């Protein structure tokens, strides 16, 4: 259900552009845990700022951009419609990415996945340790700001690792269905890990919610 909801959210961002007059405003989702629940791996200050300030800003800016887009549609102003698309992509991607990210984390996370997800990881990457090393390396290697992702290639029926710049949404830019996202914008870790991104990435594996990732994988295969 979680995967269907997230995939549906990412698909709806673009089709909604043609029917914004009847749309409902996007809202900031609640976290499924307290801000301090992921300590010591991600501290409460980071989580509070990340969720209540950064994610909230994406939501607010997305709503503003969509309102302006609706006005441009009503006026038949194609130039304005085109000009607004980067803001919709950036803020819409930020909203979709973070909505997935919060559920990918858990105070009861860490360890390794089980069942069919672990089997798929072993099949497509050789082992869980090799998968972990590859996703970590890809995430460390993101230049500037962006995300490291584990996604599902529905056409090929296999898992893939990808990196996205800024807030580019995985599915909207690569076609891969997002299963696990790692935010490597500095606002996700700087207050605790400074500019040492590898230390943050080492720590985040202790709070990965494999149950959530497995649910996304199972749902997206249907």
């Amino acid at each position: 259900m979680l995967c269907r909801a997230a995939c549906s959210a990412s698909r709806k961002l673009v089709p909604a552009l043609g029917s914004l007059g009847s749309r409902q405003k996007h809202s900031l989702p609640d976290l499924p845990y307290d801000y301090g629940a992921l300590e010591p791996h991600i501290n409460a200050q980071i989580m509070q700022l990340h969720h209540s300030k950064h994610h909230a800003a994406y939501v607010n800016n997305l709503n503003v951009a969509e309102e302006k887009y609706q006005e441009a549609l009503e006026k038949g102003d194609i130039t304005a419609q085109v000009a607004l698309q980067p803001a919709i992509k950036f803020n819409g991607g930020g909203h979709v990415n973070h909505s997935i990210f919060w559920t990918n984390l858990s105070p009861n996370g860490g360890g390794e996945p089980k069942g069919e997800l672990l089997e798929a990881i072993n099949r497509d990457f050789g082992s869980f340790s090799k998968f972990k090393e590859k996703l970590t390396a890809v995430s460390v290697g993101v230049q500037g700001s962006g995300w490291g992702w584990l996604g599902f290639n529905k056409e090929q029926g296999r898992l893939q690792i990808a990196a996205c710049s800024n807030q580019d949404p995985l599915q909207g830019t690569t076609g891969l269905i997002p299963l696990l996202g790692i935010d490597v914008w500095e606002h996700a870790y700087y207050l605790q890990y400074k500019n040492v991104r590898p230390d943050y990435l080492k720590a985040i594996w202790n709070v990965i919610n494999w149950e959530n990732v497995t649910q996304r994988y199972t749902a997206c295969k249907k």
Side-chain angles (χ1 to χ4, degrees):
M1 182 174 68
L2 287 167
C3 178
R4 288 194 292 270
C7 293
S8 175
S10 60
R11 288 195 298 267
K12 286 178 180 177
L13 284 172
V14 175
L17 299 182
S19 58
L20 291 177
S22 60
R23 74 174 185 89
Q24 292 184 342
K25 286 190 174 184
H26 304 283
S27 60
L28 181 68
D30 293 331
L31 291 186
Y33 39 77
D34 294 334
Y35 286 134
L38 303 183
E39 291 188 341
H41 310 292
I42 304 177
N43 69 36
Q45 184 183 20
I46 287 176
M47 291 300 296
Q48 183 173 9
L49 289 171
H50 199 172
H51 176 257
S52 68
K53 299 297 184 182
H54 291 281
H55 189 175
Y58 296 126
V59 172
N60 294 335
N61 291 334
L62 176 60
N63 285 325
V64 170
E66 287 192 342
E67 288 174 2
K68 291 180 178 179
Y69 194 95
Q70 175 60 30
E71 294 174 1
L73 279 176
E74 293 172 352
K75 295 176 181 177
D77 189 342
I78 297 175
T79 299
Q81 293 172 41
V82 172
L84 285 164
Q85 288 177 11
I88 293 173
K89 178 183 179 182
F90 179 77
N91 292 292
H95 180 34
V96 169
N97 293 342
H98 285 88
S99 296
I100 296 169
F101 182 61
W102 307 133
T103 63
N104 278 168
L105 305 178
S106 170
N108 300 314
E112 298 184 7
K114 300 177 181 178
E116 62 176 357
L117 177 59
L118 181 58
E119 293 174 2
I121 287 174
N122 290 336
R123 178 195 68 210
D124 295 332
F125 302 106
S127 68
F128 177 76
S129 62
K130 290 180 180 179
F131 153 73
K132 185 176 175 180
E133 290 174 5
K134 185 172 182 180
L135 182 53
T136 297
V138 166
S139 301
V140 168
V142 172
Q143 294 184 341
S145 301
W147 292 73
W149 288 99
L150 172 66
F152 180 63
N153 187 320
K154 201 170 183 67
E155 291 185 0
Q156 299 180 14
R158 66 185 185 92
L159 301 174
Q160 288 183 224
I161 287 172
C164 289
S165 299
N166 299 314
Q167 292 297 351
D168 290 359
L170 181 69
Q171 191 167 7
T173 55
T174 69
L176 299 176
I177 299 172
L179 304 179
L180 170 62
I182 299 179
D183 188 349
V184 290
W185 279 67
E186 283 195 343
H187 64 234
Y189 61 88
Y190 193 85
L191 291 176
Q192 184 171 359
Y193 295 98
K194 307 305 180 188
N195 63 335
V196 189
R197 185 185 289 178
D199 285 355
Y200 158 69
L201 289 166
K202 181 180 179 180
I204 202 170
W205 289 105
N206 294 303
V207 289
I208 296 297
N209 184 353
W210 289 114
E211 181 178 352
N212 175 266
V213 180
T214 299
Q215 289 173 352
R216 292 178 182 278
Y217 175 65
T218 301
C220 290
K221 288 204 314 174
K222 295 178 180 179

